[in-house]
Amino acid sequence: MSDRYNLPADSATLVNDHIARCKNLALILDKYPPQSVVADTKNKGPWLQSLVNGGHIDATLTQPAYNRWHSMMSALNATLFNASLDWRMVIGLGGESVLETDITLHHLYGVPFIPASALKGLTRAYITGEVEGYKSDKIDNDNEEVKRIFGSQEHAGTVIFFDAMPLKGITNFVLDIMNPHYPEYYGGNKPPTNDQNPVPVTFLTVTNTTFPFALAPRNAGKEQHVKDVEQVQTWLQEAVQKYGVGGKTSAGYGYFKKEMSSAEPPQPEKAQEPVAQTQAPSRPAEYIRPRIPQFREGQDITGSVLAPTDDLRRIAPPGARAFLRYQSFATKDVLMVVSAEEAQNWKPGDTRICVFVREEERSRCTVLVCQPRVKKK
């Protein structure tokens, strides 16, 4: 047994010698987590961050893989469109893993992908839950059009869904945490008191990534099948915007931006030529409020105290003494601030319950202005 891996000594030596050159992130996460990471969750975060920074995705494999995927979709007369992540996404978070959390990655190339079955289920759930004329509480009650498109036990559906792969094989990962504030309450017999020590759970998410989506008629020679693809494309676009994909959608994960362009065909790399004409300045993007609750004045909000930085001060209103993170949202998107003098003594990492005062939009960030909660005597 190796000191670093739960492997025989000879195998552990081989892994140690070659793991840094491994270009398959899925293989490392699934087969070769270090013994220290499996034994103690506090070692998981630094290890995952080293993987994110270590270049364990091989672009010379993922780019051709995307090209082959695109060529196959074209040969099948598939309808293609692109959608970019609005923030972060995690698929397969609850999958089987010795690391407590998981992420769905392609087993050959190590890139994230969205399974076709997930997209088909998402689309059906959206239309049967939201679209008038198609609503139903269970599959047996679906109307005939839904059964025709999505299929049933008696026949296959008229529309084929395909896995969504990252555009040109390019993807970006970022580390995130879940922070259960009452570890002695979950699964235990103690009440959820604020003196318990939170133990953050680290996990990988996908961010700043564009995914091409593909749909094809089961029979391209039948007009009805082609029309069904056009209808499903609209439903799928709405579903990824409004319902989100993967886990933690209630916390803002898995949503895609509204802009939907055609999926780009594979193109050879070319040297960038200088642009001769003068381009008009781009208009600033419209501010989109993060998917957080609409708080009412006087409502309690829990946040984690952050160390003050110049970036946080630039976002916050004048006079802010303390800065807090709300849930796992990035501070550039959501920031809690407190101006009371007593707050300047709060220590970074502490969990504080504050009272909501008002909401402001500053530098495209939703700022939750709060005050300390008065201690009960």
Side-chain angles (χ1 to χ4, degrees), residues 115 251 278:
T278 303

Side-chain angles (χ1 to χ4, degrees), residues 138-265:
K138 56 183 179 179
I139 293 179
D140 291 341
N141 294 335
D142 287 350
N143 65 27
E144 292 305 315
E145 185 175 356
V146 174
K147 291 180 179 179
R148 181 187 75 241
I149 292 174
F150 292 91
S152 64
Q153 294 291 338
E154 289 73 31
H155 63 83
T158 59
V159 177
I160 302 174
F161 290 73
F162 294 92
D163 295 343
M165 302 287 287
L167 181 65
K168 298 182 180 179
I170 300 173
T171 187
N172 295 285
F173 294 95
V174 66
L175 222 56
D176 211 331
I177 65 166
M178 292 179 283
N179 203 11
H181 292 284
Y182 311 115
E184 298 175 28
Y185 168 70
Y186 300 113
N189 54 9
K190 291 190 176 182
T193 56
N194 290 327
D195 61 348
Q196 297 180 25
N197 184 29
V199 180
V201 178
T202 312
F203 62 100
L204 280 178
T205 65
V206 183
T207 188
N208 296 330
T209 301
T210 299
F211 286 86
F213 295 81
L215 302 164
R218 186 165 296 278
N219 188 337
K222 292 187 177 181
E223 183 179 0
Q224 184 62 63
H225 289 212
V226 176
K227 289 183 177 179
D228 286 345
V229 169
E230 296 175 358
Q231 177 63 77
V232 171
Q233 178 183 357
T234 300
W235 288 339
L236 178 55
Q237 290 175 341
E238 293 175 353
V240 296
Q241 296 169 43
K242 298 179 180 180
Y243 268 33
V245 181
K248 296 177 70 64
T249 53
S250 61
Y253 294 73
Y255 291 89
F256 285 79
K257 297 178 182 178
K258 187 175 182 179
E259 61 218 22
M260 302 281 177
S261 59
S262 298
E264 297 184 22

Side-chain angles (χ1 to χ4, degrees), residues 19-23 48-57:
I19 197 73
R21 301 197 300 272
C22 179
K23 297 296 184 180
L48 289 177
Q49 188 63 59
S50 70
L51 294 181
V52 172
N53 299 335
H56 292 286
I57 299 294

Side-chain angles (χ1 to χ4, degrees), residues 239-310:
V240 296
Q241 296 169 43
K242 298 179 180 180
Y243 268 33
V245 181
K248 296 177 70 64
T249 53
S250 61
Y253 294 73
Y255 291 89
F256 285 79
K257 297 178 182 178
K258 187 175 182 179
E259 61 218 22
M260 302 281 177
S261 59
S262 298
E264 297 184 22
Q267 295 180 353
E269 294 292 331
K270 296 188 299 182
Q272 187 173 3
E273 298 179 359
V275 180
Q277 69 272 20
T278 303
Q279 296 181 349
S282 59
R283 298 174 62 181
E286 179 186 359
Y287 169 72
I288 300 177
R289 183 181 184 273
R291 293 178 176 85
I292 61 175
Q294 292 283 357
F295 299 105
R296 64 181 185 278
E297 185 175 356
Q299 181 176 347
D300 287 348
I301 309 179
T302 301
S304 301
V305 180
L306 301 167
T309 65
D310 291 340

Side-chain angles (χ1 to χ4, degrees), residues 288-341:
I288 300 177
R289 183 181 184 273
R291 293 178 176 85
I292 61 175
Q294 292 283 357
F295 299 105
R296 64 181 185 278
E297 185 175 356
Q299 181 176 347
D300 287 348
I301 309 179
T302 301
S304 301
V305 180
L306 301 167
T309 65
D310 291 340
D311 288 340
L312 295 179
R313 292 190 179 96
R314 279 193 288 268
I315 296 174
R321 304 294 182 90
F323 311 91
L324 301 92
R325 183 188 301 277
Y326 174 69
Q327 294 186 358
S328 58
F329 284 88
T331 53
K332 67 181 180 63
D333 298 321
V334 183
L335 179 66
M336 294 173 58
V337 299
V338 178
S339 57
E341 289 188 8

